[in-house]
Amino acid sequence: MFSYTGEGQVDDMTFVRGNLALRDHLRRGKRVFLFIQTQRAFVQFESELEFIETDFFEAPDRNRKQRTAIKFFFKRAGISLDYQALSLRAETTIPTEILKERDIPTVTERKGLVTSRVGQGAYRKSILYHWEFRCAVTGYPKLEVLISSHIVPWSKSTNEERLDVNNGILLSPTYDALFDRHMISFENNGRIILADIVAKSNYKDLGLSGKEQIKNFREDNFPYLERHRELLVTSG
């Protein structure tokens, strides 16, 4: 999976020029290729991509003015996903009939696009794709109950960190509640840490064994995990 922030350096992004071409490339019979810059004046071919969907989020433009930006989601061409991406469209904050009429929401409509908690719009989708629509701990795949959260809380994150997918984690409700209250955390190798303020028998009552391990943390998660561990509740 790959995500891309649309073009347009000032004001709201719209589906024109390059943004329109990317969104409609399959329908128009055009192909999209991803290259990664390896050094100055040199790039390396990574993959051919296929468009899946877009969503909106708020971000500053070149003049530091908050505006509606567009996030594109692509997959490698020819790859079948194990999860159903189309199910996310039901979560889109802006009603379908509005989206059909124009390309971006109004200021009033987009108030719901970014909240103090992750749960809507492009950032939530980024986390869902990143964790392949499964609880990071248990692998549970039911989208309706999975909760996307920041590792470092929103209140303690910079604007950039609030939108960094590496600062996000997807959990089932019990793990999310404990993680959000810093009653559990994780080592860089993914092994769970149980706060000693709660008796081990009580953790077991909640369904935790203390042997849980997340297998697919990446190095980019480590700085956020370290800060989360510093907030772990202790009896001392």
Side-chain angles (χ1 to χ4, degrees), residues 62-122:
R62 184 180 59 191
N63 300 323
R64 299 187 179 277
K65 174 186 174 182
Q66 285 296 110
R67 48 81 176 270
T68 297
I70 300 171
K71 180 73 73 174
F72 288 82
F73 296 91
F74 297 90
K75 69 178 182 69
R76 291 185 187 272
I79 297 297
S80 297
L81 302 179
D82 293 334
Y83 39 83
Q84 178 52 268
L86 294 178
S87 63
L88 285 178
R89 293 181 181 174
E91 296 188 351
T92 303
T93 306
I94 307 304
T96 302
E97 60 270 18
I98 294 178
L99 292 175
K100 287 181 179 178
E101 293 176 4
R102 50 188 161 73
D103 290 330
I104 60 171
T106 65
V107 173
T108 301
E109 292 159 357
R110 75 188 186 202
K111 286 182 179 178
L113 292 178
V114 177
T115 64
S116 60
R117 294 276 301 176
V118 179
Q120 302 176 43

Side-chain angles (χ1 to χ4, degrees), residues 5 7 11 15 22 32 51 71 80 83 87 96 105 107 115 132 140 149 168 174-175 186 196 202 208 221:
T5 300
E7 66 179 9
D11 297 327
F15 289 106
L22 285 175
V32 176
F51 172 80
K71 180 73 73 174
S80 297
Y83 39 83
S87 63
T96 302
V107 173
T115 64
E132 298 185 357
Y140 185 73
S149 297
T174 298
Y175 289 96
F186 297 92
D196 61 10
N202 290 337
L208 278 71
N221 298 128

Side-chain angles (χ1 to χ4, degrees), residues 198-212:
V198 178
K200 289 186 177 180
S201 60
N202 290 337
Y203 281 117
K204 289 182 179 179
D205 290 341
L206 292 170
L208 278 71
S209 68
K211 298 180 180 179
E212 291 87 350

Side-chain angles (χ1 to χ4, degrees), residues 3-236:
S3 62
Y4 165 73
T5 300
E7 66 179 9
Q9 296 189 31
V10 295
D11 297 327
D12 291 331
M13 292 183 183
T14 58
F15 289 106
V16 296
R17 297 184 293 277
N19 292 338
L20 182 65
L22 285 175
R23 187 191 68 180
D24 296 346
H25 82 96
L26 290 172
R27 183 170 59 84
R28 296 182 176 182
K30 302 294 184 179
R31 301 170 71 184
V32 176
F33 299 97
L34 173 64
F35 292 84
I36 296 177
Q37 184 173 2
T38 56
Q39 56 182 301
R40 187 174 181 179
F42 288 88
V43 296
Q44 177 178 306
F45 173 71
E46 174 68 22
S47 178
E48 182 177 354
L49 305 180
E50 292 180 352
F51 172 80
I52 296 179
E53 62 175 327
T54 62
D55 209 326
F56 302 100
F57 68 104
E58 283 200 353
D61 66 8
R62 184 180 59 191
N63 300 323
R64 299 187 179 277
K65 174 186 174 182
Q66 285 296 110
R67 48 81 176 270
T68 297
I70 300 171
K71 180 73 73 174
F72 288 82
F73 296 91
F74 297 90
K75 69 178 182 69
R76 291 185 187 272
I79 297 297
S80 297
L81 302 179
D82 293 334
Y83 39 83
Q84 178 52 268
L86 294 178
S87 63
L88 285 178
R89 293 181 181 174
E91 296 188 351
T92 303
T93 306
I94 307 304
T96 302
E97 60 270 18
I98 294 178
L99 292 175
K100 287 181 179 178
E101 293 176 4
R102 50 188 161 73
D103 290 330
I104 60 171
T106 65
V107 173
T108 301
E109 292 159 357
R110 75 188 186 202
K111 286 182 179 178
L113 292 178
V114 177
T115 64
S116 60
R117 294 276 301 176
V118 179
Q120 302 176 43
Y123 187 69
R124 170 169 165 79
K125 289 186 179 181
S126 296
I127 294 176
L128 286 167
Y129 282 120
H130 186 80
W131 292 99
E132 298 185 357
F133 289 46
R134 294 179 180 273
C135 171
V137 178
T138 66
Y140 185 73
K142 198 70 172 177
L143 179 62
E144 291 81 359
V145 302
L146 295 177
I147 301 171
S148 51
S149 297
H150 285 98
I151 297 174
V152 174
W154 175 279
S155 61
K156 298 182 181 296
S157 299
T158 65
N159 288 334
E160 291 77 15
E161 290 170 343
R162 291 169 178 171
L163 295 177
D164 184 359
V165 71
N166 296 298
N167 188 24
I169 191 168
L170 190 65
L171 297 169
S172 49
T174 298
Y175 289 96
D176 176 77
L178 295 170
F179 187 80
D180 187 56
R181 292 167 176 77
H182 298 96
M183 298 172 72
I184 64 171
S185 191
F186 297 92
E187 300 284 2
N188 287 352
N189 64 8
R191 185 173 180 177
I192 197 169
I193 305 171
L194 306 180
D196 61 10
I197 197 171
V198 178
K200 289 186 177 180
S201 60
N202 290 337
Y203 281 117
K204 289 182 179 179
D205 290 341
L206 292 170
L208 278 71
S209 68
K211 298 180 180 179
E212 291 87 350
Q213 185 167 2
I214 296 176
K215 298 180 180 179
N216 47 353
F217 277 134
R218 305 175 184 179
E219 288 190 11
D220 290 336
N221 298 128
F222 295 169
Y224 295 114
L225 287 171
E226 181 177 351
R227 290 163 62 186
H228 187 273
R229 290 194 294 269
E230 292 173 354
L231 299 173
L232 195 68
V233 178
T234 64
S235 57

